[in-house]
Amino acid sequence: MTIDAGHAFDVPSIEREVRALLAAGDFERAEARLRQSLASGSGPLVLWKLLVAAIRPQGRIAEARALQEMLVRHAPGDFSTRFDLSETLLLQGEFERGWREYRYRYSLPHTTAIERKVQRPRWDGQPIPGKTLLIHDEQGYGDTFQFMRLVQWAKQRSGARIILEINAETLPLARRSAGFDDILARGTLPPRFDLHCEMMSLPLALGLKLSDLPGPVPYLSADPERLAKWQIRLASLPRPLVALVWAGRPTHLNDANRSLALAQFAPLARPGITFLSIQKGPAAAQAASPPPGMSLLSLSDEIQDFDDTAAILTVADLLISVDSSPAHLAGALGRPAWVMLPFVPDWRWLLERPDTPWYPGMRLFRQTARADWTGVLAAMARELELLSA
């Protein structure tokens, strides 16, 4: 396989055709079309990149990685390809190189909004006693919940004074965590600092390995006053109490691959289980029409912030969720959670295993075929029978 800028076919036309197939989720036809153009074993860079985009969603991870490695060798300055490779490496559990390549996540079309120009050196994991280190979050709420554990690790490794800058929505929860000397909301002018590190660059700085995980769990806790409030609110409901999240944020790039409709959860309905909807966003309205036989109480309108969510998860016996921020919050709280994963999951969930090194006690229910949730829901239904027995 080689990259060849010279070609005798209409690349823009092929690219438009293939991108339309990819957008429609027709990865097999997209691959077949690309194979025609790349049959000689050489072709333009853009078609090889599209071939990766066609075969990776089919679950052929090793094949996708081989192509990504070839692309990086040919065009080491193509940051988008290096970022894509990083996610494949991390998905395969190859943390050492994966974190190195993950630094190329910036300056891409979909990451410019989170990139932050800081006029101070980035911390590289070395001890810096007497210095001040600013750690700042950068991505979604789930990322923040997952990687907040590393703030304390950075404090221990660096010996520095730690300033933690975090989004306002998770600030109250973060205040009850460990590892920082000062904490402030994103957008607030921080005190003077000597070095900085993005929260999701901490794994690279710390040399994080799979064997290092999970570290001390829980590392987040519910607010005592909110917890007391929700204990009273939910006290009269029959147990077990199962919190439910069936859809992620609609604007997420991968949302169509991870979210469901509440009606699809009909196999989980059974006597003796009280489901609690903690769904937020447009999908929360579906709780007004739960599947037949499902005892569902919608708490969505009563949830004002993540402190409410954390308290509910602490009271509930179990969370069932798609890949979304409440799943990470439950894990950080050390609460039981069952997470539903698509056929090719996000890199942090690794491959094949029914558990995760990030969160002890969390169980992963994986699709065995693309876009098919029936097997996942059937497996969960069987396990719920044991829970309610």
Side-chain angles (χ1 to χ4, degrees):
M1 297 180 294
T2 59
I3 309 296
D4 180 11
H7 45 79
F9 43 81
D10 184 354
V11 173
S13 176
I14 297 170
E15 182 180 356
R16 285 192 300 271
E17 180 184 352
V18 168
R19 289 192 185 280
L21 292 169
L22 294 175
D26 195 343
F27 304 112
E28 290 81 4
R29 284 184 61 199
E31 179 189 359
R33 182 64 184 89
L34 289 163
R35 295 288 187 192
Q36 293 174 6
S37 301
L38 299 171
S40 67
S42 66
L45 179 69
V46 64
L47 297 191
W48 288 111
K49 292 176 73 170
L50 287 172
L51 183 59
V52 174
I55 65 174
R56 194 177 188 275
Q58 297 181 55
R60 289 148 56 191
I61 305 302
E63 188 177 348
R65 175 179 169 176
L67 287 171
Q68 290 170 330
E69 298 271 19
M70 182 266 290
L71 291 168
V72 167
R73 286 194 301 271
H74 178 81
D78 186 332
F79 289 174
S80 65
T81 298
R82 299 196 76 143
F83 172 70
D84 291 343
L85 174 60
S86 77
E87 293 200 318
T88 299
L89 292 166
L90 293 171
L91 180 64
Q92 293 181 313
E94 295 195 23
F95 275 18
E96 183 177 0
R97 186 178 171 203
W99 297 128
R100 289 203 310 269
E101 298 293 337
Y102 195 66
R103 62 184 170 167
Y104 293 107
R105 65 191 179 277
Y106 293 126
S107 302
L108 305 177
H110 67 289
T111 61
T112 51
I114 64 171
E115 184 176 9
R116 177 174 172 180
K117 306 296 185 183
V118 180
Q119 302 304 314
R120 289 288 187 275
R122 181 178 284 111
W123 182 54
D124 63 0
Q126 295 301 309
I128 49 170
K131 301 290 187 179
T132 297
L133 171 62
L134 173 69
I135 297 175
H136 46 103
D137 69 347
E138 56 176 299
Q139 299 190 34
Y141 300 133
D143 301 297
T144 297
F145 293 142
Q146 181 179 5
F147 287 89
M148 207 182 295
R149 77 187 79 202
L150 299 184
V151 175
Q152 187 171 13
W153 300 16
K155 172 72 172 176
Q156 294 168 350
R157 173 76 65 84
S158 68
R161 177 173 178 264
I162 302 294
I163 302 171
L164 177 59
E165 182 188 275
I166 205 158
N167 62 79
E169 292 82 358
T170 62
L171 181 62
L173 272 163
R175 287 189 188 279
R176 295 189 296 276
S177 65
F180 58 84
D181 299 284
D182 195 5
I183 188 169
L184 61 152
R186 186 192 302 166
T188 305
L189 185 65
R192 182 189 175 280
F193 59 94
D194 301 293
L195 298 95
H196 83 102
C197 193
E198 302 89 350
M199 192 173 287
M200 294 186 71
S201 292
L202 289 175
L204 176 61
L206 293 166
L208 183 69
K209 304 183 294 294
L210 271 176
S211 58
D212 296 327
L213 296 172
V217 176
Y219 50 90
L220 295 180
S221 61
D223 174 71
E225 291 186 6
R226 298 291 185 95
L227 181 57
K229 166 193 163 183
W230 284 103
Q231 285 172 331
I232 294 170
R233 172 72 176 88
L234 303 174
S236 62
L237 297 175
R239 286 185 178 268
L241 302 178
V242 178
L244 194 60
V245 177
W246 57 89
R249 177 168 45 90
T251 54
H252 191 280
L253 291 173
N254 195 40
D255 192 63
N257 197 37
R258 65 174 182 169
S259 293
L260 293 81
L262 176 58
Q264 293 175 265
F265 284 75
L268 304 190
R270 57 205 358 91
I273 295 182
T274 302
F275 289 90
L276 307 172
S277 169
I278 61 170
Q279 178 69 49
K280 299 297 283 185
Q286 298 173 28
S289 303
M294 176 177 283
S295 175
L296 177 69
L297 173 64
S298 177
L299 303 177
S300 302
D301 291 341
E302 301 177 53
I303 297 173
Q304 300 302 310
D305 52 28
F306 280 118
D307 265 343
D308 278 328
T309 305
I312 293 167
L313 292 173
T314 303
V315 175
D317 299 292
L318 175 67
L319 168 70
I320 292 179
S321 177
V322 296
D323 181 5
S324 65
S325 59
H328 290 283
L329 179 54
L333 293 165
R335 300 300 299 155
W338 296 354
V339 181
M340 309 171 65
L341 297 180
F343 183 56
V344 178
D346 189 65
W347 58 263
R348 70 201 72 219
W349 302 117
L350 305 174
L351 294 169
E352 297 179 353
R353 56 191 296 167
D355 63 346
T356 168
W358 295 97
Y359 305 115
M362 180 177 283
R363 297 181 61 184
L364 306 180
F365 292 78
R366 300 174 181 269
Q367 285 183 346
T368 55
R370 194 171 70 248
D372 181 8
W373 291 108
T374 56
V376 169
L377 289 161
M380 285 186 160
R382 290 191 294 271
E383 295 298 320
L384 278 179
E385 287 287 357
L386 301 176
L387 182 68
S388 59

